[in-house]
Amino acid sequence: MAPVAPSDRHDGLTSLLEHHLNKDLLRLTTAGSVDDGKSTLIGRLLHDSKAVYEDQLASVRSSRFNRSGGPIDFALLTDGLRAEREQGITIDVAYRYFETPLRKFIIADTPGHEQYTRNMATGASTADLAVILVDATRGLLSQTRRHGYIASLLGIPNVVAAINKMDLLEYQEDVFLNLQGEFLALARQLGIESVVCIPISALAGDNVVNRADRMPWYEGSTLLEHLETVPLRPDANDDAVRFPVQYVLRPDANFRGFAGQVAGGTIRPGSAVLALPSRQQSRVRSIVTYDGAEPEAFCPMSVTLTLEDEIDLSRGDILVSPENPPRISRNFEAMVVWFHSEPLVLGRSYLIKHNVRAARAKATNIRFRVNMQTLEQEPARELKMNDIASVEFEAANPLFFDPYTRNRATGSLILIDPLSNATVGAAMIETDLAAIAEPLTETAIGWAHWQMPVTLEDRQERHGHASALVLVQDRPRLSVYLERALFAQGFEVLHISAAAIPAGHLRSILKLSRSIGLIVVLSSESVRQQGIEWEAVAAEERFEFLFDLAKQDLPQDDGEAVAAVLSLVGPLRRSNE
Amino acid sequence: MTLSDEDIVNQAARRRLNQLKSLEAESIYILREAAAEFTRPVMLYSIGKDSSVMLRLAQKAFFPGKIPFPLLHIDTGYKFPEMIAFRDSYTREIGANLIVHQNREALEQGANPFVLGTQKCCGLLKTKALLDALAEGGFDAAFGGARRDEEKSRAKERIYSFRDSLGQWDPKNQRPELWNIFNSRINKGESIRVFPLSNWTELDVWLYIHTEQIPIVPLYFARERSVVLRSGSIVLIHSEDELRRGERPQLLQCRMRSLGCVPCTGAIRSQADTVPQIIEEMFSFRRSERENRVIDHDEEGSMELKKREGYF
Ligand SMILES: Nc1nc2c(ncn2[C@@H]2O[C@H](COP(=O)(O)OP(=O)(O)OP(=O)(O)O)[C@@H](O)[C@H]2O)c(=O)[nH]1
Ligand SMILES: [Mg+2]
């Protein structure tokens, strides 16, 4: 893009460079339904702020494709692919760069077509501001809501609603006021705080860069004025240190440095850091860069750290503040935008890339899907392309994360299909499903302990035995005796009478019991008749032992039977070494 | 917690990288990420200003270590002699591992843009040579110094640009690329082109060359040079046999704004012989940097076509 010189002429080159280097950078994205005029608006914005080179303009002027009805189809300034020009739609996001004396801008012009929602999300994921277009002749559409929803999920702090094509409705104030009311209601529903509505005509250039004489009733800023002055919020990344290790530098035996980009907090030589997953603690010795040692490192600096101690640390690990660690869990809940024509299926294994860490994970539950017409939550069993939903995941290894709203870098991840390698979804983490209490922070060692969710392993260590499922058929009294006898022997045991459990709930109760390491005595008068393969159930629910007493040829006397069972359960006990 | 506007300003002022430093940090992140995730990465080194910046960023990314991948120069045989001299001395100076590849077969058969047309010539001497070199080296990722602000199809390209087993780009079917999380998964034979300078503008590149004191090919600086005017462009003349019938060379104060092959890259009239002067001159430009590249203008969307076939 043609750079624009500062309007007041600087005498020295140094101040010119200074001025340029210290400009604020605003990243913006367009959004809205197909044909609402996004590309036309961006073309108009670039053109009217003199940011288009003459040869680029000439090639647009002479293009075979022009749908605008005027001499220049401004959309062609960003719709650069042949297929886009032929079809008159945007397919993939175009990045354009321009600056005014006040700010530098990176623009992502995204497609409105529903089929290309993934590309809209791509462009919007790095934006500080979204310009959502509304075609005044068509009003708010479901794609407008979808894009608004994605913008709010991505945490884009500023939204502009550009009510476009005012030229087609004689620039009537009523039209604008109605749509403004509707949009503000939508924004409230989506929890978007900072919204400004501007009536424009992208085609005619009204209120884009130049003020529109034809809308004297509008007293607010033009789009460009707003872009140049809207306060910029720093990234959500909060104060806690997060330093994901990208690359270990070992040029010789004397140097071992950890290269990465700071994703949270401020790091100084001497800062205490905790390495995850090893949970070893150390201090930063130095912050190494090509340009010399730095006194501190903060977001988004790319640096190399050396540490005081030789600890276990490699790519995919993370250094964090010991007193303010991230969540460590295999289970988390996230808002997912699904991109692929092949649906998200529960239980299927996906690759995830969380930050610089790769892992495997499967979706275990879809809590709800968002209906784009009503924005209400509805149940779903799978996710189709462009669905947005709240999903529970279980990863094969623990992840170290923060909620997306606290830290974009440690709260976001992408989902990859392990067979096709396609990027099939993006996720913003909301909560840790292990739902642990706020960590205690006296010491790092203390912390490391408190931060750990209690695992099955921990429980079994306390119980002193493995989990087991004991099936008792048609002998209700024996079940009760057994529970008491096992309890007396120091086992954590629970008697469940199948008849007392509402249909369909038994499996989840068994799952829960297993996950806390219990021995379950399941009594039923009709265990067999239900036609359930108990062996399979025990295996599936991962009980370590299964005792089907019907197969044991037990004495008829309940007392003798109890003794016989007790002689069977010895192997459940964990040895003490 | 909501922040007041004052808080926001304070917080932002407290610790902020200037925008060139932010771009640098982003590029270093990309370089490290690809170097860590691919088995055999390589850096396409074209000797131009963008390559020079990319090379410096690679030095920074792996400091105090060496750049952990080789550089690859696709030498069409039509490069300016100053470029080749600069390439050899500079890469030696910084201790980089340089691979030079040529499509010898095509050159021996006399491939040149006058006979073949620029499209076909580029196809053989650049694209084919590149694809062959990548295959020969078994490279699964190749860094390129292309910027999105250069050209309209580049503006559409991802930072990690997926190429199928024939090296082809499918612009209608690019992988989503959110935040700074890159999908590096490929099957055997497929590859990724990685563009660490995606978000840099021409001005950013020059500012960086200035602030970092990066050495560049002297052709970028204005000097009196022997040239002819040929269908609207200023063509440098190194020897008599580059002249066409009826042409007489003249001396002109000029420089190159972007570097390609001799027959297809024109010079611009300029007095700028220092980097600061070049930067000042940029503010007066009304035409884009690739305008002096013949190849981009053969046909509407010609860059896209070349890229689809595997061009960088
Ligand atoms: N009358 C009128 N037409 C407009 C205006 N803005 C855009 N258009 C026309 O609307 C059509 C669609 O414009 P685009 O800019 O391609 O729309 P888009 O939102 O970028 O579409 P996608 O990117 O495909 O989602 C074109 O024919 C434009 O000329 C406007 O302000 N007034
Ligand atoms: Mg468009």
Side-chain angles (χ1 to χ4, degrees), chain B residues 76-78 103-126 230 241 244 261-264 295:
Chain B
T76 58
Y78 289 99
N103 184 348
R104 292 247 166 65
E105 203 183 336
L107 278 171
E108 273 156 23
Q109 285 166 17
N112 75 55
F114 314 112
V115 179
L116 297 175
T118 53
Q119 286 278 349
K120 207 155 174 211
C121 184
C122 260
L124 282 171
L125 296 183
K126 282 188 168 171
R230 192 181 285 164
D241 44 271
R244 296 190 196 165
C261 292
V262 179
C264 298
I295 46 166

Side-chain angles (χ1 to χ4, degrees), chain A residues 13 20 54-55 82 84-85 92 95 97 104 119 125 232 246 268 291 296 302 315 353 421 423, chain B residues 8 15 19 25 29 33 37 60 155-156 158 179 182-183 199 204 207 276 286 288 300 304:
Chain A
L13 182 74
H20 177 83
E54 284 168 8
D55 53 306
R82 292 161 72 94
E84 294 179 323
R85 293 173 168 226
D92 210 331
Y95 294 92
Y97 304 77
K104 183 175 172 182
N119 298 334
S125 67
L232 291 182
Q246 263 191 297
R268 297 189 185 82
D291 304 299
E296 57 178 25
S302 283
R315 176 176 161 85
K353 195 170 173 199
N421 294 334
T423 304
Chain B
I8 293 166
R15 286 195 186 82
Q19 51 107 353
Y29 172 85
E33 200 56 15
E37 287 203 303
K60 290 197 176 196
K156 294 272 167 184
R158 299 282 188 260
W179 304 289
F182 303 115
N183 177 353
N199 287 322
D204 295 325
L207 285 170
R286 289 287 157 259
S288 72
E300 184 159 343
E304 177 185 342

Side-chain angles (χ1 to χ4, degrees), chain A residues 31-41 67-69 73-75 78-79 88-91 109-113 133 135 164-168 200-205:
Chain A
S33 193
V34 68
D35 276 353
D36 283 352
K38 299 176 288 298
S39 302
T40 306
L41 173 64
R67 297 193 310 143
S68 70
D73 185 344
F74 289 104
T78 63
D79 287 342
I89 57 161
T90 305
I91 292 173
D109 179 34
T110 70
H113 200 292
L133 276 89
D135 179 340
N164 189 30
K165 307 198 186 179
M166 290 298 291
D167 55 304
L168 295 179
I200 64 164
S201 167
L203 194 66

